[in-house]
Amino acid sequence: MKLLLIEDEVSLSDALVNILKKEKYQVTAVYDGEEGLYYAVSNSYDLIILDIILPHLDGISILKEIRKQKIDTPVLMLTALAQEYDIVKGFDAGADDYLSKPFSTAELLARIKALLKRTGQYIYDETISFGNITLNLKSYMLSTPYNTIKVSAKECEILRFLISNPKFIATREDLINKVWGFDTEIESNSIEVFISFIRKKLIFIKANVAIVTIRGVGYRLEQKNVQ
Ligand code: CA
């Protein structure tokens, strides 16, 4: 799970990063509003923790811009006590939840977990399914009633993204951001290689789903017509 933390108080940010890393979250910490927006619109995070008062661009404006760009990443706002006015503005702008400072570690972790679960990002079920395929996210076993095969960690991530967003065209950029991480240099033809491995595995296990290439755009998982 990748989290983006936009908080300008360095000591608070450092403390949060430590807590979150202990919980096995990958955290990108940003201390400036404009930079925060740049990372947020990369759409490569599962959750954004957003402070309101920030240098260069405030949290409410960041949130409005993210939602305007149709990015639906859950956002947890951090507010100073008694900023009720900001809380209302935050919800109006598309925040999913908020925490008033100071808050306890337990409270923060519970809110994060609840938000990820609500948006289907949190893995509390070990398996996800589409058509006749089932993917086990812990053991990396991909199966149908006919056969089972092991996939690699990257193949598992690609499949998880496709299965979690059915009917949605995953662009090469989406896959690079979600699977390899924002700011990663990877050739887009290496994605093609991974996709072709997955396709072979789907055929091998007699899956009734296929990864369809949408030319010039990306990929989509589709269920084949069953006679
Ligand atoms: Ca602040």
Side-chain angles (χ1 to χ4, degrees), residues 127-147:
T127 62
I128 50 174
S129 302
F130 184 77
N132 71 346
I133 62 168
T134 299
L135 176 66
N136 187 306
L137 301 166
K138 290 207 171 133
S139 67
Y140 299 155
M141 299 309 280
L142 179 67
S143 52
T144 61
Y146 312 106
N147 217 336

Side-chain angles (χ1 to χ4, degrees), residues 8-9 24 31-32 54 63 66-67 71 85 104 113 126 132 150 153 174 182 185 195-196 200 216 218 227:
D8 61 321
E9 284 167 56
K24 308 277 181 242
Y31 313 99
D32 172 276
L54 291 162
L63 184 55
I66 298 171
R67 296 299 185 235
I71 290 167
Y85 178 62
S104 72
K113 225 168 178 179
E126 281 189 8
N132 71 346
K150 189 160 178 133
D174 287 332
F182 182 51
E185 304 255 330
I195 295 284
S196 79
K200 284 187 185 125
Q227 294 296 316

Side-chain angles (χ1 to χ4, degrees), residues 158 161 170-180 191 219:
I158 292 170
F161 187 67
T171 63
R172 287 182 180 81
E173 212 175 16
D174 287 332
L175 289 174
I176 291 171
N177 287 343
K178 288 281 178 188
V179 178
W180 280 268
I191 293 176
Y219 306 96

Side-chain angles (χ1 to χ4, degrees), residues 7-9 51-55 101:
E7 165 63 68
D8 61 321
E9 284 167 56
D51 187 26
I52 292 185
I53 299 166
L54 291 162
K101 294 178 194 172

